Amino acid sequence: MQEPNQSFVTEFILLGFSLGPRATPLLFSAFLVIYLLIILGNSLITLLIFLDSRLHTPMYFFIGILSMLDLGYTTTTVPQMLAHLTSEKKTISFVRCVAQMYIFLVLGVTESWLFAIMSVDRFVAICHPLRYKVIMSPGLCGVMVTFCVLWGVTSALIYTIFAMRLPYCGPNKINHFFCEVPAVLKLACADTSINDWVDFILGFSVILIPLSLILVVYVNIFIAILKIRSAQGRLKAFSTCASHITVVTMFCVPAMIMYMKPGSKASPEQDKKLALFYNIVSALLNPIIYSLRNKDVKTAFFKVTSWGRAPE
């Protein structure tokens, strides 16, 4: 039972990155440029998919959702990180910390399951090309995305409730650049072993199950690709899969390391690097890997902007 005069923190201090005065402006400039590129790339993809009717297909519908998730994902954390890099005051209120944690988790879990749905889309496109548009109907695509969102909302709520039900009575310094569950739990003045189990169990539902589904789907896809007689056809089918596999690896593997290891084994500096990778780097590279090198997207870009003819 808590003491009657027990005080609880009302705000946290985000320590961010341990840098010297000379390195801070360079880091600020780098993250600002990266953030602007994330906004530009993902906004451009979303806009092109919306404006060009030729991109109104299930694959590009899911890519558009992915781009919007990446925009929200990075906007939840990066602007605050940039503000703290230029200010002596690095505090965040308890309520804002909870809100940031919850929104970040909702978007992250939704994105994790979206990758699994996108692998199913590729399976249908490659293994059942003639029935692709019939099977992947707009109604089914909408149901799939709704499932991802609901799973994200529910899982994030459980994560957040179990993390913030603990007492936080000081210290209030979070060794991270935003309020992420593993970093916040280290400040709890109570046993967090139950939280470790909750994180591990939920990790199965939000990371391992989607990854397992992706693995099973791609085994079947590769078997189907090997049966394609045309070398060009095999190469085209494999290239679309390679893009998806690269994006999934960049996002899910660091997230799995972060959320499924015990809190006692967590390293603050390693956690910050992992968070940078699946929060910022993946959002920066997704438009390049998945869309901007795609001929259909390039054609849509030239059509929408009227900048001459699209490349052949």
Side-chain angles (χ1 to χ4, degrees):
M1 188 173 179
Q2 298 296 327
E3 295 294 329
N5 61 350
Q6 181 84 58
S7 60
F8 296 95
V9 299
T10 57
E11 65 179 16
F12 293 105
I13 298 172
L14 293 167
L15 297 180
F17 301 96
S18 303
L19 298 168
R22 293 184 178 180
T24 299
L26 294 176
L27 191 67
F28 173 84
S29 300
F31 281 134
L32 178 60
V33 171
I34 290 172
Y35 181 54
L36 292 176
L37 288 175
I38 289 172
I39 293 175
L40 178 63
N42 287 284
S43 297
L44 180 60
I45 293 300
T46 306
L47 186 63
L48 290 177
I49 292 172
F50 177 75
L51 293 177
D52 195 322
S53 59
R54 288 176 296 181
L55 299 183
H56 293 176
T57 64
M59 183 182 80
Y60 289 110
F61 170 71
F62 293 130
I63 290 175
I65 298 295
L66 177 64
S67 292
M68 288 189 285
L69 287 172
D70 283 338
L71 283 171
Y73 205 55
T74 51
T75 301
T76 305
T77 59
V78 177
Q80 174 192 263
M81 178 181 66
L82 293 173
H84 285 180
L85 283 172
T86 59
S87 173
E88 291 295 326
K89 186 179 180 181
K90 304 180 188 297
T91 59
I92 182 171
S93 69
F94 187 90
V95 173
R96 283 183 59 202
C97 184
V98 173
Q100 184 184 60
M101 181 187 298
Y102 178 70
I103 295 170
F104 182 83
L105 286 169
V106 168
L107 297 172
V109 174
T110 301
E111 186 162 324
S112 178
W113 270 100
L114 182 67
F115 286 134
I117 298 302
M118 293 171 79
S119 70
V120 173
D121 172 71
R122 290 298 82 209
F123 170 78
V124 177
I126 292 171
C127 300
H128 304 281
L130 299 179
R131 300 177 58 206
Y132 175 58
K133 290 186 178 181
V134 175
I135 296 173
M136 299 301 294
S137 64
L140 180 60
C141 292
V143 169
M144 286 178 164
V145 171
T146 301
F147 166 80
C148 294
V149 173
L150 291 176
W151 199 280
V153 168
T154 305
S155 300
L157 189 61
I158 296 172
Y159 267 120
T160 306
I161 288 174
F162 271 88
M164 305 318 290
R165 70 179 178 83
L166 298 171
Y168 294 90
C169 41
N172 67 337
K173 294 181 179 179
I174 301 175
N175 194 1
H176 211 314
F177 60 90
F178 71 100
C179 289
E180 192 164 29
V181 173
V184 174
L185 286 178
K186 293 177 184 178
L187 303 183
C189 45
D191 182 28
T192 60
S193 57
I194 294 178
N195 293 78
D196 287 340
W197 277 106
V198 169
D199 291 351
F200 186 78
I201 293 170
L202 282 176
F204 273 94
S205 70
V206 302
I207 299 175
L208 283 185
I209 292 179
L211 276 178
S212 300
L213 177 60
I214 291 169
L215 180 62
V216 171
V217 168
Y218 271 106
V219 167
N220 286 277
I221 287 176
F222 289 143
I223 292 173
I225 289 175
L226 292 175
K227 293 179 180 179
I228 299 175
R229 295 181 180 180
S230 166
Q232 186 178 0
R234 287 197 299 268
L235 182 62
K236 183 179 179 181
F238 182 76
S239 66
T240 61
C241 296
S243 298
H244 185 245
I245 292 171
T246 303
V247 170
V248 168
T249 303
M250 287 193 309
F251 179 86
C252 290
V253 173
M256 181 171 62
I257 296 171
M258 172 73 85
Y259 282 91
M260 296 195 69
K261 66 183 176 183
S264 58
K265 295 184 179 180
S267 165
E269 296 306 315
Q270 183 188 41
D271 287 353
K272 281 184 268 189
K273 292 174 184 176
L274 288 170
L276 279 176
F277 208 83
Y278 61 73
N279 180 209
I280 298 175
V281 176
S282 63
L284 173 67
L285 296 181
N286 279 355
I288 301 171
I289 293 172
Y290 231 128
S291 302
L292 296 181
R293 71 182 187 88
N294 185 292
K295 183 179 179 181
D296 293 336
V297 176
K298 289 180 181 178
T299 303
F301 175 77
F302 281 98
K303 176 186 175 183
V304 170
T305 59
S306 301
W307 287 0
R309 293 181 60 188
E312 298 295 332

